[in-house]
């Protein structure tokens, strides 16, 4: 049976009328017609372009909760009471869909509230996340690219990455054929049998569960190797990475600056007993 999941945004319209902001049905994501309300404050701009921008923010939040993004959208519908309002929105819409090029329809029709000047509805198809152990020069270069993109102060040469591959478990994550992240598992060391698990996701793909998938695989591998505790290391400037670690139970143990450098690093630990 197909898995079906509803995603709610907190809009009072969803409760009053009886619908969801989006529905995940297997690989398909159906996002309801979405207007320019800021649902946290239930305010809406009078400007149609600002409404379009807010529509896309609302849709982006729903897609992220569904595990996909604008690049996965296959169809979009634009609903406007006034046809003259459509063209001013084109630059905003092009930023979201210009490279994706989904099928699109624009319709002129009345909307539920006279303050609403545009409504946008999308359909997306989720691509499957694929995680593979690094092997060969091409995958090693991809792993190095993600590492260097996220932690430029510790940028590695290809030789550095190759030496690590001989000692550590290194994996890449792909969405379809698109590289989205990587991970590293350093085997347990010392009397405490402490392993290190590091998951990295490129900024454009964060908030969609990919880091969790990489982390959970890395943690499982560390446990197979006999780890009794797990550490991770995050560049202090990477606020997303710190929030991710703390959310999963890691506790900060040390902050430090390496000799001859100025960047602040944070070590965190998670017990596994």
């Amino acid at each position: 049976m197909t898995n079906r999941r509803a995603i709610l945004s907190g809009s009072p319209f969803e409760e009053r009328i009886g619908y969801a902001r989006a529905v995940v049905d297997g690989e398909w994501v159906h996002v309801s017609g979405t207007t320019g309300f800021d649902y946290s404050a239930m305010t809406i701009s009078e400007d149609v372009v600002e409404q379009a921008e807010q529509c896309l923010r609302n849709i982006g939040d729903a897609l992220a909760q569904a595990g996909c993004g604008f690049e996965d959208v296959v169809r979009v519908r634009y609903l406007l009471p006034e046809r003259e309002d459509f063209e001013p929105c084109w630059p905003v819409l092009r930023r979201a869909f210009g490279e994706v090029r989904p099928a699109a329809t624009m319709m002129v029709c009345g909307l539920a509230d006279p303050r609403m000047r545009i409504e946008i509805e999308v359909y997306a198809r989720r691509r499957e996340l694929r995680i593979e152990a690094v092997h060969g020069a091409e995958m090693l270069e991809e792993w190095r690219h993600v590492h260097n993109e996220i932690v430029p102060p510790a940028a590695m040469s290809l030789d550095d990455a190759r030496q690590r591959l001989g000692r550590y478990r290194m994996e890449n994550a792909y969405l379809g054929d698109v590289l989205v992240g990587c991970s590293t598992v350093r085997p347990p060391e010392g009397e405490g049998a402490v392993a290190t698990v590091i998951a990295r996701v490129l900024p454009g793909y964060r908030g969609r569960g990919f880091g969790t998938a990489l982390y959970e695989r890395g943690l499982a591998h560390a446990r197979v190797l006999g780890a009794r505790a797990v550490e991770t290391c995050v560049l202090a400037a990477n606020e997303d990475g710190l929030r991710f670690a703390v959310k999963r139970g890691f506790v900060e143990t040390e902050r430090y600056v390496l000799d001859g450098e100025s960047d602040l690093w944070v070590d965190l630990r998670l017990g596994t007993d």
Side-chain angles (χ1 to χ4, degrees):
M1 187 170 76
T2 301
N3 292 326
R4 185 179 186 278
R5 175 167 63 93
I7 293 172
L8 304 179
S9 69
S11 164
F13 298 123
E14 296 167 17
E15 182 64 26
R16 293 172 188 168
I17 300 172
Y19 70 98
R21 177 59 43 207
V23 172
V24 181
D25 189 10
E27 64 183 3
W28 291 101
V29 181
H30 307 263
V31 181
S32 296
T34 300
T35 61
F37 274 94
D38 177 349
Y39 296 128
S40 63
M42 284 311 295
T43 57
I44 188 168
S45 171
E46 295 181 358
D47 182 79
V48 68
V49 175
E50 292 179 3
Q51 285 195 26
E53 291 172 339
Q54 185 64 48
C55 286
L56 294 173
R57 283 192 288 270
N58 295 338
I59 290 169
D61 289 343
L63 291 173
Q65 291 183 63
C68 59
F70 285 109
E71 69 274 16
D72 300 304
V73 172
V74 297
R75 168 165 275 286
V76 56
R77 290 191 178 93
Y78 305 108
L79 311 175
L80 296 94
E82 302 293 338
R83 69 180 73 247
E84 295 81 7
D85 280 346
F86 189 43
E87 187 170 351
C89 298
W90 288 359
V92 173
L93 306 177
R94 188 166 55 246
R95 286 199 296 270
F97 301 115
E99 295 184 5
V100 182
R101 300 297 179 95
T105 302
M106 180 273 195
M107 299 177 62
V108 176
C109 61
L111 299 180
D113 185 314
R115 293 173 293 174
M116 300 172 179
R117 298 180 64 182
I118 185 170
E119 183 171 320
I120 303 175
E121 172 186 351
V122 307
Y123 299 86
R125 187 176 185 181
R126 298 191 301 173
R127 289 172 287 175
E128 184 178 354
L129 183 69
R130 175 169 50 90
I131 301 176
E132 295 185 4
V134 171
H135 62 274
E138 183 176 350
M139 289 188 72
L140 185 60
E141 179 59 35
E142 290 175 328
W143 182 94
R144 188 174 76 97
H145 167 74
V146 176
H147 175 278
N148 291 354
E149 182 79 12
I150 295 173
V151 284
M156 290 187 192
S157 67
L158 192 56
D159 284 342
D160 291 335
R162 190 177 294 113
Q163 290 177 9
R164 294 204 175 197
L165 184 59
R167 305 194 306 271
Y168 306 147
R169 172 78 171 185
M170 294 156 59
E171 294 187 325
N172 288 343
Y174 304 89
L175 191 59
D177 294 325
V178 179
L179 178 70
V180 299
C182 74
S183 66
T184 304
V185 179
R186 300 173 188 166
E189 296 179 346
E191 294 182 1
V194 180
T196 300
V197 176
I198 302 173
R200 307 178 185 92
V201 176
L202 292 170
Y205 298 95
R206 291 175 183 170
R208 294 165 57 177
F210 304 150
T212 298
L214 280 164
Y215 162 71
E216 289 179 349
R217 279 175 61 100
L219 185 61
H221 185 68
R223 286 171 171 159
V224 168
L225 295 176
R228 295 199 299 273
V230 171
E231 290 184 340
T232 194
C233 179
V234 183
L235 189 64
N238 182 2
E239 295 180 357
D240 288 342
L242 285 173
R243 281 193 294 268
F244 177 88
V246 171
K247 188 175 180 179
R248 278 147 191 83
F250 282 87
V251 177
E252 181 178 328
T253 58
E254 184 180 7
R255 290 187 175 228
Y256 54 91
V257 176
L258 296 174
D259 291 342
E261 299 184 6
S262 59
D263 296 283
L264 183 64
W265 294 86
V266 183
D267 283 348
L268 305 100
R269 177 172 287 205
L270 173 75
T272 60
D273 287 338

